[in-house]
Amino acid sequence: MGTSTSKPESQPSTYDEKSQLTNQNQLPVAVTPVSKDGSISLNTVALWESAASADPKLQLARIILSHSDIRSALASRSAHVADSHVFSHVLDFKTGPITDQKSSGRCWLFAATNIVRYNIMKKLNLKELQLSQSYLFFWDKLNKSNYYLEVIMQQADLPVDDRLVTFLSGDLIGDGGQWDMVVNLVENYGLVPQALYPESTHSSLSGPLNALLKTKLREDALILRRLAASLRSSYVSEEQVLLTLRAKKEELMKDVYNILTATLGTPPDTNSKFVWDYINADDKVGRWEGTPIEFYRTFGTKPYSPTESFSIINDPRNPYSKLYTVDKLGNVWGGRPILYVNTQAENMKNMVVKMIKAGLPVFFGCDVGKFSDSSSGIMDTALFEYESAFDIKFGLTKADRLQIQESSMTHAMVISGVHLDEAGKPVRYKVENSWGESAGNHGYFVMTDAWFEQFVYQIVVPKALAPKELVQVLESDEKVVLPPWDPMGALA
């Protein structure tokens, strides 16, 4: 496959077509600062205040915004009017209930299980169904803990303050994740209905559990590093070093398992059968019996198996039509790697429309905190009148935001509808969130096409529905390895 060079993409009207950064680089060299030593002088402040005092718009802003939330005070009325929750193409079956991840970062697990439940509910004619997000959460935490200790053992010869070691020991077992991590979990542990493994305090409120596990695992990391140094100083063979370290790691991981079962509950045995009784939309009782793996194989692999779906991203920093991965990123040790095929945003939009028309919900990753309002459920680059109120211009491109850490994937949701114009182009998208029914329009958000262009980074597509050239890139296995701290390593 040929590769196209990354280019800055066109910006919506909210952004200046000519980057402010470029204009600043063209300033005359002869300009002299008021403060030559770089400090903020009182003379400089006096000049700023003189200009502000003479500006009626800024004076009005000072009156209003000193006692108002800038998001509500500067909300665009025209955007709220334009962004109606009306869509020309929606899925032919509505799932429920609207899920709620509560005080946790499990959005990717909620989005993934909301995707999988669609066909289960349709097949069994159910009014409501939740798959157990907590079940996958348990196995993800256990495996991320193991993954962290394995990587630490690999890097035991590096100084403890090396950038890689300190980065890995930062948010080492965060709640977030990626599609390939979902595949690792369901392939190894299957799925169960939420009734078989319900929510607990610490699945819905993950902060205290995460803090405890991080303290434990960081201490375990030092224990393993010191053991590695001791073994190597005694000239033990590398094979025996690894075996001894792994034996010690298993001893330490037993404590992690005990913490997880005490706080989240002991999950159903992967290889033991359970009984699931349910009532369908006609009030008829149904019954299913089998293991979590059998449940997944029976209900979770139609019409397309999660293993046959892959992540397509839009990262304009890097060449398109290439395969990317992120170093040291994963959950199940030895499992499926995190892979992304990079393409233009327009290609992603076309695939979303194709999937919705085919009756398939779409998993996607985005930066939900930018130009969005959770109460109204609107994601629109024109949502707030910041530029008008402060007389400023935002000039960052999508690539700029990634490079300067202004933006990254922070949240995963599901696209369940799209509104097309007369030319067949998307205008807005219907989004199923996992913040409960009180957010947005009874749990649903509307995302404009301009917002998609700027803040959507990933969609997940079955190979059978993806462009052949992108599938070929995926299957070529010629990966570009991004560093662990790259923005594409952010977990939704």
Side-chain angles (χ1 to χ4, degrees):
M1 292 294 298
T3 59
S4 58
T5 305
S6 170
K7 296 180 180 178
E9 300 186 351
S10 60
Q11 304 295 314
S13 58
T14 304
Y15 299 96
D16 190 355
E17 290 290 339
K18 294 183 179 179
S19 173
Q20 231 176 224
L21 303 180
T22 302
N23 293 338
Q24 288 171 350
N25 290 337
Q26 294 174 347
L27 288 173
V29 177
V31 172
T32 301
V34 176
S35 175
K36 294 183 180 179
D37 64 1
S39 64
I40 298 179
S41 70
L42 293 179
N43 286 339
T44 304
V45 173
L47 289 172
W48 293 342
E49 180 56 34
S50 176
S53 299
D55 188 332
K57 184 191 294 185
L58 282 176
Q59 289 303 304
L60 180 61
R62 286 178 172 182
I63 294 171
I64 297 172
L65 300 181
S66 61
H67 53 78
S68 304
D69 185 328
I70 60 172
R71 293 168 299 179
S72 57
L74 301 179
S76 169
R77 178 180 172 85
S78 59
H80 277 264
V81 171
D83 298 334
S84 61
H85 289 262
V86 176
F87 308 92
S88 58
H89 296 75
V90 295
L91 300 179
D92 60 358
F93 186 89
K94 187 174 181 179
T95 57
I98 291 295
T99 55
D100 190 350
Q101 66 190 76
K102 298 185 179 177
S103 299
S104 74
R106 300 173 292 160
C107 58
W108 60 296
L109 295 176
F110 277 75
T113 51
N114 286 345
I115 292 283
V116 173
R117 74 172 173 173
Y118 178 82
N119 285 296
I120 301 176
M121 293 184 67
K122 192 173 181 181
K123 180 178 180 179
L124 299 179
N125 187 30
L126 302 178
K127 284 183 179 179
E128 291 192 343
L129 171 68
Q130 280 202 67
L131 298 173
S132 177
Q133 305 92 359
S134 188
Y135 177 75
L136 297 179
F137 186 64
F138 175 93
W139 290 115
D140 183 62
K141 285 293 179 198
L142 187 67
N143 278 279
K144 277 180 180 166
S145 299
N146 181 67
Y147 193 100
Y148 166 70
L149 293 180
E150 282 286 341
V151 174
I152 286 296
M153 285 157 49
Q154 275 190 347
Q155 313 302 322
D157 58 330
L158 293 177
V160 73
D161 59 353
D162 181 86
R163 182 183 184 185
L164 176 60
V165 177
T166 56
F167 176 82
L168 294 172
S169 298
D171 192 18
L172 59 158
I173 43 121
D175 290 356
Q178 275 296 343
W179 178 259
D180 293 308
M181 294 182 179
V182 173
V183 175
N184 283 330
L185 296 175
V186 296
E187 284 288 307
N188 281 282
Y189 306 104
L191 290 165
V192 297
Q194 192 185 72
L196 272 296
Y197 192 69
E199 288 288 289
S200 68
T201 296
H202 292 289
S203 63
S204 299
L205 178 65
S206 60
L209 172 60
N210 286 339
L212 174 61
L213 286 176
K214 287 177 185 178
T215 298
K216 177 71 173 65
L217 289 167
R218 288 168 182 150
E219 180 175 336
D220 293 348
L222 289 177
I223 291 171
L224 291 170
R225 283 176 57 87
R226 289 164 184 163
L227 177 58
S230 175
L231 291 169
R232 288 183 174 124
S233 67
S234 301
Y235 303 103
V236 176
S237 70
E238 283 302 309
E239 180 182 3
Q240 190 57 49
V241 168
L242 181 58
L243 291 174
T244 304
L245 287 174
R246 282 194 166 144
K248 183 62 177 178
K249 182 205 70 176
E250 289 174 355
E251 177 188 325
L252 298 169
M253 279 293 298
K254 178 184 175 183
D255 295 333
V256 173
Y257 175 82
N258 289 338
I259 291 171
L260 289 172
T261 53
T263 54
L264 300 178
T266 305
D269 189 314
T270 305
N271 297 312
S272 296
K273 291 187 176 183
F274 63 84
V275 174
W276 176 45
D277 295 320
Y278 60 88
I279 300 176
N280 68 14
D282 299 321
D283 292 327
K284 293 182 179 180
V285 175
R287 176 186 176 90
W288 188 89
E289 183 176 348
T291 69
I293 292 290
E294 289 170 343
F295 185 86
Y296 163 63
R297 300 286 183 217
T298 301
F299 296 115
T301 58
K302 304 291 187 302
Y304 301 103
S305 170
T307 60
E308 289 300 303
S309 296
F310 68 106
S311 293
I312 295 175
I313 62 168
N314 175 235
D315 177 4
R317 300 171 306 158
N318 292 309
Y320 294 132
S321 297
K322 278 190 172 293
L323 183 64
Y324 294 87
T325 189
V326 179
D327 193 24
K328 308 293 186 299
L329 181 65
N331 59 347
V332 174
W333 188 253
R336 172 166 160 155
I338 311 304
L339 296 176
Y340 305 122
V341 176
N342 196 21
T343 192
Q344 293 89 343
E346 197 65 28
N347 287 340
M348 292 173 63
K349 297 175 190 177
N350 292 338
M351 281 179 269
V352 169
V353 173
K354 183 177 181 179
M355 288 182 66
I356 294 299
K357 287 184 175 180
L360 297 172
V362 184
F363 179 108
F364 77 105
C366 65
D367 190 352
V368 73
K370 305 297 183 185
F371 296 92
S372 67
D373 177 55
S374 60
S375 60
S376 61
I378 293 177
M379 297 180 287
D380 186 344
T381 56
L383 185 57
F384 302 113
E385 302 283 357
Y386 294 144
E387 293 182 334
S388 176
F390 299 107
D391 199 20
I392 58 176
K393 273 291 182 184
F394 292 123
L396 293 177
T397 65
K398 195 172 190 178
D400 291 335
R401 290 186 213 104
L402 288 169
Q403 288 167 341
I404 203 63
Q405 299 187 43
E406 164 63 13
S407 183
S408 64
M409 275 186 278
T410 62
H411 194 51
M413 295 180 284
V414 175
I415 297 175
S416 59
V418 62
H419 188 73
L420 305 179
D421 63 17
E422 294 179 353
K425 296 293 184 181
V427 176
R428 55 184 176 266
Y429 306 81
K430 183 179 183 179
V431 174
E432 180 183 356
N433 204 348
S434 56
W435 291 348
E437 286 198 1
S438 61
N441 183 16
H442 303 290
Y444 288 90
F445 282 49
V446 57
M447 170 175 63
T448 66
D449 187 63
W451 198 95
F452 186 115
E453 184 92 15
Q454 295 301 319
F455 298 113
V456 170
Y457 292 103
Q458 169 203 30
I459 62 170
V460 172
V461 183
K463 289 182 183 179
L465 297 181
K468 291 182 180 178
E469 60 271 21
L470 297 185
V471 176
Q472 289 174 353
V473 172
L474 174 72
E475 295 178 343
S476 70
D477 203 34
E478 297 177 3
K479 299 186 285 289
V480 176
V481 181
L482 301 172
W485 40 82
D486 188 89
M488 286 299 120
L491 298 178

